[in-house]
Amino acid sequence: MYTTELSRNTAPSVVCDDAERLAAFEARVAADEFIEPKDWMPDAYRKTLVRQISQHAHSEIVGMLPEGNWIGRAPSLRRKAILLAKVQDEAGHGLYLYCAAETLGTSRDEMTAALLAGKAKYSTIFNYPTLTWADIGTIGWLVDGAAIMNQVPLQRTSYGPYARAMVRICKEESFHQRQGYEAVMALCAGTPEQKAMAQDALNRWWWPSLMMFGPPDDASPNTEQSMRWRIKRDTNDALRQKFVDVTVPQAEAIGLTIPDPALRWNEDKDGYDFGQPDWDEFWAVVKGDGPVAADRMAARNKAWDDGAWVRDAAIAHAEKRALKRAA
């Protein structure tokens, strides 16, 4: 989810002339009932969902780029087939999420236009390059592992279409994480050069993976409202802690070292103490200064332009069918 908090704007205020409807809405959310598309909802709730779900959808689509680049270069037919299937899954995830966002009254064209114009964001993780084959396994292990931490709670998010879309997405993301970890395991069991390549990938992807959960809670202006509305179920810091506690033993099991000198087991909290990512780097990448941010946006704009003839043909076909039915 890629649901990185990517806005420094203050949380939108709730303005409602009908206090009774607002109170009923708040009561339903507090009772863990799903809000459905035709139900009344505050404008701020709708806008928050559109921002989050569209950002999630954009992340799935942009996330195809770093991995799709490696399909033809994967080291075996088996690895090629696995990676191809994963990229296809991500396209499907984007489709589910765009459909969920459309139930809130925003069109896919509007969401796409916002992405291509740089007005909408996607997860910062995809603005980093994939330099070696080990990066692909590490993305599956760490990036999809972080995504699962973010997304499993979203199966209980308060907006029904979003929650239901997440059920299948989480199942497929779990496969992606296992596939990635298995690929890294194979490298660690190989030659010293292969294990060194895996360690190098871990060194480069560890901190960006921690950034996927968004800024610290005290710098995340939308978290409090999203938690109250049950859009989010866990805070950024709580999810980040859970990710570290799960992932460190996985690294140790295959002989890799987490690149964090501050990492220590803390008996009192039954979890790890760990260092903080470079938040200046995080905000810079959010603003479009990531190592390959320009490449990612150029690729999406090119894909949009190259696909114009397909969209035009589909519209012409639909219009022809409509005229035939009307005749």
Side-chain angles (χ1 to χ4, degrees):
M1 102 179 64
Y2 308 110
T3 51
T4 303
E5 175 59 66
L6 296 180
S7 174
R8 277 189 166 181
N9 297 328
T10 55
S13 60
V14 180
V15 179
C16 178
D17 294 332
D18 191 336
E20 291 183 2
R21 286 197 296 183
L22 178 58
F25 169 84
E26 298 277 5
R28 289 185 62 194
V29 169
D32 281 337
E33 294 183 24
F34 281 142
I35 304 300
E36 300 296 343
K38 293 184 179 180
D39 294 339
W40 183 89
M41 63 188 74
D43 286 341
Y45 177 82
R46 186 186 304 275
K47 290 177 181 178
T48 298
L49 282 169
V50 169
R51 176 185 60 81
Q52 179 167 317
I53 299 173
S54 65
Q55 176 183 298
H56 191 168
H58 297 329
S59 298
E60 296 285 355
I61 299 303
V62 175
M64 298 165 64
L65 297 174
E67 294 174 314
N69 184 47
W70 277 90
I71 292 173
R73 295 185 288 163
S76 68
L77 181 59
R78 175 174 176 267
R79 297 294 181 192
K80 286 178 171 64
I82 291 172
L83 189 54
L84 179 61
K86 181 183 180 184
V87 172
Q88 288 176 321
D89 284 348
E90 289 165 347
H93 298 173
L95 176 62
Y96 306 152
L97 293 163
Y98 284 130
C99 288
E102 285 180 315
T103 66
L104 291 159
T106 185
S107 72
R108 198 170 313 180
D109 284 346
E110 291 174 311
M111 289 182 278
T112 301
L115 173 66
L116 298 179
K119 296 178 180 178
K121 303 297 184 181
Y122 53 87
S123 180
T124 56
I125 196 74
F126 300 120
N127 284 336
Y128 291 88
T130 48
L131 304 180
T132 70
W133 170 250
D135 288 32
I136 302 303
T138 304
I139 286 175
W141 171 31
L142 297 184
V143 175
D144 292 315
I148 291 168
M149 293 297 177
N150 268 319
Q151 294 173 8
V152 166
L154 293 175
Q155 294 175 104
R156 297 180 293 112
T157 193
S158 60
Y159 188 58
Y162 193 18
R164 289 187 286 273
M166 293 312 304
V167 173
R168 179 167 180 172
I169 291 174
C170 286
K171 290 179 180 178
E172 293 176 349
E173 291 288 2
S174 295
F175 162 76
H176 298 167
Q177 191 274 341
R178 291 194 295 273
Q179 169 267 322
Y181 188 58
E182 188 271 337
V184 176
M185 285 178 61
L187 290 172
C188 290
T191 66
E193 291 79 10
Q194 288 173 323
K195 186 171 183 180
M197 184 168 62
Q199 182 65 61
D200 174 67
L202 173 59
N203 293 346
R204 286 183 287 105
W205 287 95
W206 176 252
W207 296 110
S209 295
L210 293 190
M211 294 178 192
M212 282 184 65
F213 298 97
D217 293 342
D218 58 7
S220 180
N222 296 313
T223 290
E224 182 179 355
Q225 182 67 80
S226 292
M227 293 284 289
R228 187 164 68 86
W229 277 336
R230 306 292 204 271
I231 295 173
K232 291 179 66 172
R233 289 293 191 162
D234 299 279
T235 68
N236 299 347
D237 288 338
L239 290 170
R240 195 167 9 251
Q241 180 71 59
K242 185 177 180 182
F243 173 76
V244 172
D245 291 345
V246 168
T247 308
V248 171
Q250 294 173 348
E252 292 174 345
I254 55 178
L256 295 181
T257 302
I258 299 295
D260 180 0
L263 188 69
R264 299 285 188 280
W265 178 255
N266 186 325
E267 291 285 354
D268 293 337
K269 72 177 185 181
D270 194 30
Y272 287 94
D273 293 330
F274 55 94
Q276 289 295 305
D278 183 341
W279 294 117
D280 289 338
E281 177 184 326
F282 170 82
W283 289 115
V285 176
V286 167
K287 294 175 181 178
D289 293 336
V292 293
D295 294 340
R296 299 290 183 243
M297 290 310 303
R300 289 310 310 147
N301 276 280
K302 183 178 185 301
W304 179 257
D305 293 341
D306 290 348
W309 70 272
V310 178
R311 297 191 299 276
D312 292 343
I315 292 171
H317 179 65
E319 291 174 346
K320 185 181 292 186
R321 291 188 65 184
L323 289 172
K324 187 175 181 179
R325 285 195 299 267

